[in-house]
Amino acid sequence: CLLLGAYLLVYIPRVDSIDGQAILAVSASVARSGTFQIGQIGAQDSLLPQQMARMGAFGLDGNYYSKKGVAPSLLLVPVVWAADVLRLDLRALAMLFNPAVTALTGVALYGLVRTLGYAARVAFLTALLYGLATFALVYTKTLYAEPLAALLLTVVVQTLLKLHHRDAEKQ
């Protein structure tokens, strides 16, 4: 709760990068039409100079598809539905995704440190340091995929450690 509160203090209700726009465009396309194409980004992308990185590529069907990973986009589909049903600003609602994910990463990191055998105080301090004194704080103001990757990696490491501990106890 402390981390989420801090993230809400620096919250920005708009997607301010083409990467974030591409991720959200895939989510909106999946939620509203059941496809992964992002034609609206393709129109903007074609205005960029040729040497700049493009956000996607044209498929064999002629539609434009994002080169960004699909996991954040799929997890944002319910956010699109909620914004549509409740008539909320999709961009503002979507920008709450990474603050929530990063706060959950702090919780997972706390659990990981406890799994490693450290005291609750050390785990709490580690989670706070991660959440407030690293780039994690900066990434809460984006719609990039890195916060989700950090959460998933932390959960995987903790799960593997727990499985290892169980196997060691059985022997």
Side-chain angles (χ1 to χ4, degrees):
C1 289
L2 183 62
L3 286 176
L4 186 58
Y7 300 152
L8 293 178
L9 289 175
V10 297
Y11 164 78
I12 297 173
R14 66 187 178 286
V15 181
D16 61 352
S17 72
I18 190 74
D19 294 37
Q21 290 174 14
I23 289 169
L24 190 55
V26 172
S27 302
S29 184
V30 170
R32 295 174 180 153
S33 68
T35 68
F36 288 87
Q37 68 88 20
I38 56 166
Q40 68 273 28
I41 296 290
Q44 293 174 15
D45 216 19
S46 64
L47 299 176
L48 295 173
Q50 187 65 31
Q51 64 271 20
M52 292 184 71
R54 302 266 186 219
M55 286 298 104
F58 288 97
L60 295 175
D61 60 0
N63 288 320
Y64 199 66
Y65 295 93
S66 175
K67 68 178 183 179
K68 299 295 176 188
V70 72
S73 296
L74 291 176
L75 289 174
L76 282 165
V77 167
V79 174
V80 175
W81 291 333
D84 288 350
V85 168
L86 300 172
R87 294 189 176 130
L88 299 173
D89 179 16
L90 173 58
R91 289 174 185 88
L93 192 58
M95 290 303 290
L96 292 171
F97 181 74
N98 277 344
V101 166
T102 307
L104 286 173
T105 304
V107 172
L109 186 59
Y110 175 89
L112 173 61
V113 173
R114 292 291 288 151
T115 300
L116 290 169
Y118 290 93
R121 185 179 321 168
V122 173
F124 183 73
L125 183 60
T126 302
L128 280 183
L129 284 173
Y130 165 77
L132 299 175
T134 69
F135 278 106
L137 177 63
V138 176
Y139 274 96
T140 64
K141 299 187 288 183
T142 71
L143 198 56
Y144 296 160
E146 286 77 4
L148 180 60
L151 173 61
L152 295 176
L153 284 171
T154 305
V155 170
V156 165
V157 169
Q158 182 182 10
T159 303
L160 289 174
L161 277 172
K162 285 182 177 181
L163 290 173
H164 176 72
H165 285 200
R166 284 189 193 138
D167 289 345
E169 288 175 359
K170 288 181 182 178
Q171 295 176 1

